[in-house]
Structures are given as C-alpha cells and as structure tokens.
Amino acid sequence: MIHGLKGRLTRDEIAKADLRKGRLLFQDICAKCHTLYGEGAKIGPDLTGSGRANLDYLLENIVEPSAVVSAEYRLSEVTMKDGRELAGIVKARTGRTLTLRTLTDEQTVELREVVNEGVSTLSMMPEGLLLPLQPEQVRDLIAYLRHPVQVPLPK
C-alpha cells in the first residue's frame, strides 16, 4: 500500500491539494490522539516537530503504525483483580500507583490491585486509517500533514 500511495502522491498531485480540507480531515481523524500546531490530543506523539515533511516517514507511520513504536508510546495492557482489563500508555508510575492514558481518559490504579501487566508490540494507532478515504482526501490530508505552517480552516 505504501508503494501505491507514493506513486500517486507525486509532487504535481500534492500541489493540487486543498490544505484547508486536509486540516479538517486531521481534526476528524488524527487530532483525537495527536497534536499539530498546538491543536489536538496528547495521547500519541506531537506531530509538529516530527519528520512529517518526509513522505516515506509519514506514510510508514500512518500505514504501518506498529512497525516502529517508541518505548514511551507502547501500549500497556493491565488486568485488575476485579477482572477489568485496561489498555493505554503509561503516563506515570509510583511505588503505589500506575496511571494509564487510554483513548478516552487517564486512569490511575493501585498497583496492589493489578494482577498482570504486559506491554504490547502494537501501536494504539489503528491500521487502515486511510482506507475509507477517497484519493483526493488522502492527498489533502498528507499535504496538510507535510505543510510547514498552520493553514486556516475552510469557511
């Protein structure tokens, strides 16, 4: 899929992108977990300073999010004594508590209530994010993500 996308996302094709529509797509799809230009959530990495100008880097991280997951963004899976199963990124750990950032909130649990804790090799970022998008939407989103400065929202 990466090879096909690279073939379609040529310099000429990217030049046709509507960056404002790309920003809307970012807000709908990516901002639930990522920050860009100070906007969005802080579950995943802040994309503002990442290597997003590099098309290869960007496509690899979007299309195959579990290929390379840095330690601070590895998904921890926790089983509690009461049977609950929690999954999230470890945000804090003390001698007595563990705080996980899940997709919806932060949860702090007592370590004495934890039965099992494991670290997944999978990213919290789901695969297939681009699949439901039309080709021009993929182009607009990728162009926006690669753009070096914030653009206004459509009117």
Side-chain angles (χ1 to χ4, degrees):
M1 179 170 185
I2 292 174
H3 183 71
L5 283 169
K6 279 185 65 176
R8 285 199 335 251
L9 295 170
T10 63
R11 182 174 298 175
D12 290 341
E13 185 63 19
I14 291 289
K16 298 176 195 173
D18 185 331
L19 297 174
R20 293 173 183 213
K21 287 182 180 177
R23 181 175 175 188
L24 280 179
L25 287 164
F26 175 84
Q27 286 181 330
D28 290 343
I29 300 167
C30 313
K32 294 172 185 166
C33 295
H34 295 283
T35 303
L36 183 60
Y37 303 121
E39 297 177 6
K42 298 184 184 318
I43 296 171
D46 183 337
L47 302 180
T48 309
S50 69
R52 63 192 166 79
N54 180 314
L55 182 60
D56 291 325
Y57 172 85
L58 197 56
L59 290 177
E60 288 167 5
N61 281 281
I62 294 171
V63 175
E64 298 178 5
S66 294
V68 178
V69 182
S70 62
E72 69 265 27
Y73 294 106
R74 290 200 178 118
L75 183 65
S76 288
E77 299 166 322
V78 176
T79 305
M80 305 298 294
K81 285 182 181 177
D82 64 9
R84 288 181 298 148
E85 294 187 5
L86 307 173
I89 297 169
V90 174
K91 285 300 187 182
R93 182 186 302 269
T94 68
R96 153 180 113 62
T97 63
L98 172 69
T99 302
L100 291 176
R101 176 69 179 132
T102 70
L103 288 174
T104 56
D105 60 5
E106 279 191 8
Q107 295 190 20
T108 301
V109 297
E110 297 286 328
L111 287 174
R112 60 184 158 79
E113 297 297 318
V114 173
V115 175
N116 188 35
E117 180 183 352
V119 178
S120 174
T121 58
L122 299 178
S123 172
M124 279 183 72
M125 184 168 156
E127 292 191 16
L129 287 174
L130 299 179
L131 294 176
L133 301 180
Q134 297 298 315
E136 61 274 2
Q137 290 177 305
V138 172
R139 176 201 63 204
D140 293 347
L141 177 61
I142 296 298
Y144 171 70
L145 288 169
R146 294 181 72 202
H147 198 66
V149 295
Q150 182 62 285
V151 298
L153 287 167
K155 295 181 181 186

